[in-house]
Amino acid sequence: MKAYGYFTSKKYFKRVLFSIMLTMALILTGLSAVNTYLLERSVKNVQEEANLKVLTQTQYNLSYMNEIIVHLSSFAYRDNALIPLMFSSSLPKMDYIRGYQQMYNMLESSSFLHMMSVYNATSGELYGSSSDFLVDGGTTKSSILQWLLHTNDSLPASRLIPFSFSNSNGIDAFAFIVTDTYRPFTPDQSAIILFIKPDWVFESLSKLNGTGNGNTGDILIQTSSGQLFESGDSSQTFNQEDIGRLIRNDNAGEPSESGFVIGKAGGQKVMVTYLRGIGDWTILYMQPYKQLMQAVSDMRTRNLMLTGAFILISIGISIWLSYKLYGPIETMMKRILPHMRNIQEPSPRSRSELDAMSDVYEQLSGQLQEISSEQIVRKYYIRKFLTDSRSLSEMDMRQLIMKHELQLAPSGPYMVCTLRLDRYDEYERRTSPEMKKLHSFAITNITKEIMSQTFGCEIIDMQQDHFTFILSGMPLDIAVIKPLIADVQQVLDRYYSLSLTCGISDSTGQLNQLSSSYYQSYQLSQYSILMGYQATIEAQNIRTNLDNKQKSLPDDVEKKLSEAIRKGKLTDAGSELERAFDILAKLQLEDMRRAISDMAWIIKNAAADITSNRITHLSMDVERIPLLPQDYYTLDELHMAFLSLCTAICEEAKPSSMERNEMIIETVKELIWQKYADYNLNQQSIAATVKLSSAYVGKLFKDSCGLTITEYLNDVRLSRAQDLLLKEDSTIMEIMEKVGYGNQSYFFRLFKSKFGSTPKEFRIKKSIS
């Protein structure tokens, strides 16, 4: 009862529980259904392939039998002993005996012959060879004559025809009519009729089918008129109209030589595989669908049982998982319910636990909005003091401090400090907006907590790359302030991996001077380029820079640096760089940045000049050199970056003789591959292109590659000709011209020397192979 009461009182818990249970049940049921569907589809595909193999073998057997019968019938029709039986109006007794003896001999010599008959059109007589024909009182004879003379459809000659002595749908034999023409048989023609046993066809077929998966069926033959014939031992009777309808529906689009269809026939579901046979026959393979899909049905039953078992297990897991997921919500409800005003614990018929928490949120939201509005006003006036203090009178500023309870002394003194994020561009790229909000909260609260222990402090996020705080109170001793700022920097670095540089303004006694102090502190914080990361910078630390009137680097420094780079003199370039950075360290901030940018352009122009005078380009991206100062934030980093850049340029500016030779050889090869189709391409033209002597280029290429330029050119041309002979239908003369040869005998001689055959012989051999 306790568990039931707990369950009924927790509306959100019930949602979680039923959602998980329903999801798991749907997934398990869906997987079971999909698995069964895929299995049934796979069984159908495998069965179709197996059935087509069976029918293909049947078609082969019938075709083979037809071929044998054609040869035998030709021999029988020209046999001298059988000719009197076919054409004599009055048959002598000896001719009658010889004819019957010859038919008997043919039956004995052929295991597949069931019976042989001769029809004499002149006398209308039919002679037969089997014992049934002679002793059954004329039943067999009349059946054959009825079939020959009174069949509505024309009987084709020299073709196997399914035949039943009892006029049933079963196949007693295959009849083969032989006349003196290939036209359909007519009663005014004499003919020999061979009756072939069907047993060996169906028996071999049954053996072939029985070696498969055990899903045996029945083989039927359908004529063009739609009549069905089956083996005498067929397991069941099939409805001719139903089977014809299934096959016609499957061929409603484009008729095909073979097919696979499932449908109703004779009151049961069957699988029909069909294949066009000899002439107008269609060979059918009929299988009961239920028998074929027995394994699928068994698998479906097992899947249902397993799915049911897993659903029961999933119910237990769902209950356990729901309790786990609901635990934090239940804990939260226990904590907030005692403090909720005018809110009762949710009942199962009204509101859920989340509704109750939503009510609490609305109450708290109203209180937070009141607090937030006051905070917004406070931040606005602090930012106004820092950016536009001259627009306010001293009296107005003191009144605002008192009204909004700002932690500032009304009468001063004041000092403004700016905390600036080091490597801000990098920080901006790798930090998510949510993390930036967290960092802003941490910087403002940690700074205010540490600084407020000694001074009045108000801090504001300036929403760029820095935070600014105002200190007030007596006395503002820089010796006390700097250790506190160092504590702030260490805490933020330890817990948030944030590096901040602090600029400290001069002390002022007037509130309307706060804007000037803010500008001074921000400018000082940017001198981290000189002082390094996490520095605390006062005006006296950079007094030399502030008093320096020099605006740029001396011209001789820039000129010597450029010349050293162009000449590949790394030592001289390093010396000039060191001299340049010594001068940079004494410039004012804006002049320093401008001079660094100018120096980057000097290096870029020197590298561009080197590239324009070389066969190959420098490995570095020359166009990106002016952007290098954006990737580094201190003079030390920039010095090392420029030094590494100059080192790389100087090392590549003086390639060794081996590198130069390799470049010449690769250039020659590239020229040959690009211009091999040019008749005039030779060693002299190549040497002129690379602006070297022909003898020097030839010797250099021979020593390096082991063959002359002419030999390499011929190899390229002949290889290309070989590819064109295989892939194109162009004439040999056209291909010869495409690869740069103008003399046919010379081309044939070179081609045969390389490949062992002429181009024509090569193409013929490849086409045959």
Side-chain angles (χ1 to χ4, degrees):
M1 291 298 295
K2 183 178 180 180
Y4 177 77
Y6 177 87
F7 175 78
T8 57
S9 65
K10 309 299 180 184
K11 193 170 184 179
Y12 183 72
F13 172 75
K14 287 190 291 184
R15 293 180 188 173
V16 174
L17 175 61
F18 286 128
S19 297
I20 295 175
M21 289 174 57
L22 182 61
T23 300
M24 297 183 73
L26 289 175
I27 291 174
L28 290 172
T29 305
L31 286 176
S32 176
V34 170
N35 183 44
T36 304
Y37 169 75
L38 293 177
L39 177 61
E40 184 173 353
R41 185 175 178 181
S42 176
V43 170
K44 288 179 182 178
N45 292 337
V46 172
Q47 191 63 43
E48 179 183 6
E49 185 178 351
N51 291 353
L52 286 175
K53 290 181 180 178
V54 171
L55 294 184
T56 302
Q57 182 63 41
T58 304
Q59 184 188 46
Y60 173 77
N61 290 348
L62 292 174
S63 300
Y64 178 68
M65 181 173 64
N66 188 75
E67 184 178 353
I68 295 175
I69 299 305
V70 168
H71 292 296
L72 179 61
S73 63
S74 299
F75 172 75
Y77 194 80
R78 292 172 177 78
D79 191 277
N80 292 329
L82 300 180
I83 290 176
L85 295 179
M86 285 189 289
F87 300 107
S88 296
S89 56
S90 59
L91 186 66
K93 188 173 184 178
M94 288 305 298
D95 288 342
Y96 178 82
I97 294 173
R98 280 196 296 271
Y100 266 90
Q101 182 65 38
Q102 184 61 20
M103 285 192 289
Y104 176 79
N105 292 337
M106 288 185 178
L107 286 175
E108 289 294 319
S109 63
S110 301
S111 61
F112 52 83
L113 282 178
H114 172 69
M115 187 175 67
M116 184 174 180
S117 298
V118 178
Y119 173 69
N120 190 318
T122 303
S123 63
E125 185 65 39
L126 182 69
Y127 305 100
S129 62
S130 69
S131 57
D132 293 339
F133 189 90
L134 298 175
V135 300
D136 64 356
T139 301
T140 301
K141 179 178 179 180
S142 63
S143 296
I144 297 175
L145 284 173
Q146 178 69 24
W147 173 67
L148 279 175
L149 304 179
H150 302 291
T151 300
N152 294 328
D153 298 331
S154 61
L155 299 175
S158 301
R159 185 183 300 174
L160 290 173
I161 306 171
F163 179 76
S164 174
F165 292 104
S166 60
N167 294 324
S168 64
N169 288 335
I171 300 177
D172 295 328
F174 290 101
F176 193 91
I177 301 174
V178 186
T179 64
D180 57 351
T181 67
Y182 288 101
R183 295 192 300 272
F185 171 79
T186 57
D188 60 347
Q189 292 179 297
S190 296
I192 294 177
I193 304 99
L194 303 177
F195 294 92
I196 292 87
K197 299 176 183 179
D199 298 346
W200 68 279
V201 175
F202 291 108
E203 287 178 3
S204 62
L205 191 58
S206 300
K207 292 179 181 179
L208 177 65
N209 190 27
T211 60
N213 56 11
N215 295 324
T216 58
D218 293 298
I219 304 296
L220 291 84
I221 294 177
Q222 185 182 47
T223 64
S224 59
S225 62
Q227 186 177 4
L228 290 178
F229 293 92
E230 54 189 299
S231 61
D233 57 349
S234 294
S235 60
Q236 53 192 314
T237 303
F238 298 96
N239 186 286
Q240 178 172 308
E241 294 182 0
D242 291 344
I243 295 175
R245 174 178 48 79
L246 290 176
I247 296 177
R248 285 194 301 274
N249 291 340
D250 191 56
N251 283 269
E254 297 182 1
S256 59
E257 291 299 317
S258 62
F260 183 81
V261 62
I262 297 173
K264 289 281 188 177
Q268 65 172 331
K269 193 174 183 179
V270 294
M271 180 182 295
V272 182
T273 310
Y274 61 88
L275 180 70
R276 305 298 178 191
I278 301 174
D280 58 358
W281 291 2
T282 300
I283 306 171
L284 308 178
Y285 190 26
M286 312 288 298
Q287 295 170 290
Y289 188 81
K290 182 177 180 181
Q291 180 182 351
L292 290 175
M293 294 296 137
Q294 186 62 44
V296 178
S297 298
D298 295 341
M299 177 60 73
R300 185 184 291 111
T301 303
R302 288 194 294 270
N303 279 348
L304 289 175
M305 295 175 63
L306 288 174
T307 301
F310 276 110
I311 287 177
L312 292 176
I313 296 172
S314 68
I315 291 174
I317 296 175
S318 300
I319 295 173
W320 173 83
L321 185 59
S322 298
Y323 274 111
K324 287 290 185 182
L325 294 176
Y326 185 74
I329 296 177
E330 185 177 25
T331 302
M332 186 181 300
M333 288 297 297
K334 289 179 180 179
R335 291 179 178 177
I336 67 173
L337 279 175
H339 306 285
M340 290 164 44
R341 295 179 297 178
N342 302 322
I343 300 176
Q344 297 179 352
E345 187 172 358
S347 63
R349 295 184 180 180
S350 58
R351 297 155 51 248
S352 69
E353 296 88 326
L354 295 183
D355 294 329
M357 285 190 282
S358 176
D359 293 339
V360 175
Y361 170 77
E362 290 179 0
Q363 290 182 3
L364 296 177
S365 178
Q367 298 175 8
L368 289 174
Q369 286 179 0
E370 295 175 3
I371 299 173
S372 177
S373 298
E374 179 62 24
Q375 290 292 334
I376 292 172
V377 173
R378 289 166 59 91
K379 289 182 179 180
Y380 168 78
Y381 283 117
I382 296 171
R383 190 173 287 110
K384 184 74 171 178
F385 289 174
L386 292 171
T387 59
D388 194 18
S389 62
R390 293 184 179 275
S391 64
L392 298 172
S393 67
E394 193 85 12
M395 183 61 69
D396 291 339
M397 295 178 74
R398 289 194 180 99
Q399 289 178 355
L400 289 172
I401 291 173
M402 298 293 292
K403 180 179 179 180
H404 296 286
E405 299 179 354
L406 301 180
Q407 300 299 311
L408 296 176
S411 57
Y414 307 101
M415 185 177 290
V416 179
C417 302
T418 295
L419 288 171
R420 184 170 174 272
L421 284 164
D422 297 325
R423 301 185 294 273
Y424 181 73
D425 292 340
E426 180 182 337
Y427 171 84
E428 182 74 16
R429 288 194 301 270
R430 63 180 174 83
T431 309
S432 65
E434 293 77 12
M435 190 59 68
K436 290 177 184 176
K437 292 180 180 178
L438 174 63
H439 290 165
S440 176
F441 179 80
I443 293 171
T444 55
N445 282 273
I446 291 173
T447 303
K448 188 165 186 177
E449 181 179 352
I450 293 176
M451 303 305 296
S452 295
Q453 296 175 2
T454 308
F455 306 100
C457 177
E458 286 291 348
I459 183 168
I460 188 70
D461 180 1
M462 300 305 288
Q463 299 178 348
Q464 294 179 13
D465 60 348
H466 62 284
F467 299 77
T468 300
F469 57 93
I470 306 171
L471 299 178
S472 64
M474 291 291 290
L476 290 178
D477 188 356
I478 195 67
V480 178
I481 294 174
K482 292 182 71 173
L484 294 177
I485 293 175
D487 290 343
V488 173
Q489 292 171 324
Q490 291 173 6
V491 171
L492 291 171
D493 187 24
R494 183 185 308 123
Y495 294 105
Y496 298 96
S497 299
L498 295 174
S499 176
L500 296 103
T501 296
C502 184
I504 305 176
S505 72
D506 296 331
S507 178
T508 180
Q510 297 179 353
L511 283 169
N512 57 12
Q513 294 294 322
L514 288 178
S515 295
S516 300
S517 298
Y518 161 65
Y519 176 76
Q520 181 188 24
S521 66
Y522 179 69
Q523 289 297 110
L524 291 173
S525 68
Q526 295 186 78
Y527 274 91
S528 59
I529 190 173
L530 176 63
M531 305 296 293
Y533 302 133
Q534 293 187 321
T536 301
I537 307 171
E538 305 174 67
Q540 64 181 13
N541 299 136
I542 56 170
R543 185 60 61 191
T544 303
N545 301 78
L546 297 176
D547 296 338
N548 192 356
K549 303 301 181 182
Q550 186 175 347
K551 298 296 183 181
S552 61
L553 292 174
D555 293 339
D556 65 319
V557 174
E558 296 179 350
K559 182 178 179 181
K560 290 180 180 179
L561 176 61
S562 177
E563 291 178 355
I565 293 172
R566 286 185 174 88
K567 294 178 181 179
K569 295 181 178 181
L570 180 58
T571 302
D572 294 346
S575 300
E576 293 304 322
L577 274 178
E578 186 173 356
R579 180 184 170 196
F581 274 90
D582 287 341
I583 297 172
L584 286 173
K586 299 174 184 178
L587 298 179
Q588 294 189 24
L589 182 63
E590 294 303 322
D591 297 329
M592 187 188 303
R593 289 174 175 170
R594 190 184 308 108
I596 291 171
S597 177
D598 293 343
M599 188 159 53
W601 276 100
I602 290 170
I603 297 174
K604 184 263 182 185
N605 293 333
D609 290 343
I610 294 172
T611 301
S612 64
N613 294 324
R614 287 168 55 91
I615 296 177
T616 59
H617 295 286
L618 295 173
S619 60
M620 66 191 67
D621 185 1
V622 175
E623 298 300 325
R624 201 183 180 284
I625 294 176
L627 304 178
L628 189 65
Q630 299 177 11
D631 299 331
Y632 300 94
Y633 302 92
T634 67
L635 286 181
D636 290 339
E637 291 177 350
L638 286 166
H639 189 184
M640 294 303 299
F642 281 155
L643 184 59
S644 299
L645 180 62
C646 292
T647 301
I649 295 172
C650 291
E651 288 179 352
E652 294 190 33
K654 290 184 176 181
S656 63
S657 59
M658 182 60 68
E659 291 174 338
R660 180 173 178 274
N661 293 343
E662 289 176 356
M663 287 188 291
I664 293 173
I665 292 169
E666 290 301 320
T667 303
V668 171
K669 290 181 178 180
E670 183 67 20
L671 284 170
I672 291 174
W673 275 104
Q674 293 292 332
K675 298 185 176 182
Y676 65 85
D678 185 1
Y679 293 104
N680 298 319
L681 185 67
N682 53 37
Q683 182 171 318
Q684 288 75 20
S685 64
I686 292 171
T689 302
V690 298
K691 296 180 174 56
L692 295 170
S693 68
S694 175
Y696 176 78
V697 173
K699 184 177 185 303
L700 188 64
F701 194 95
K702 175 73 172 179
D703 293 341
S704 177
C705 301
L707 67 165
T708 65
I709 292 177
T710 302
E711 291 171 345
Y712 184 85
L713 175 60
N714 284 329
D715 284 346
V716 171
R717 285 173 169 171
L718 294 174
S719 298
R720 189 72 187 112
Q722 183 186 32
D723 292 339
L724 294 176
L725 286 170
L726 293 175
K727 298 176 181 178
E728 294 187 2
D729 295 328
S730 303
T731 65
I732 295 176
M733 292 296 293
E734 290 173 345
I735 291 174
M736 179 188 74
E737 293 173 357
K738 286 182 180 181
V739 298
Y741 287 107
N743 188 303
Q744 181 178 352
S745 61
Y746 180 65
F747 169 66
F748 273 54
R749 185 170 67 254
L750 290 176
F751 192 96
K752 186 171 184 179
S753 175
K754 182 173 180 62
F755 299 109
S757 62
T758 64
K760 184 177 181 180
E761 293 171 347
F762 177 83
R763 174 175 275 179
I764 293 173
K765 288 179 182 178
K766 292 299 180 181
S767 63
I768 294 175
S769 62

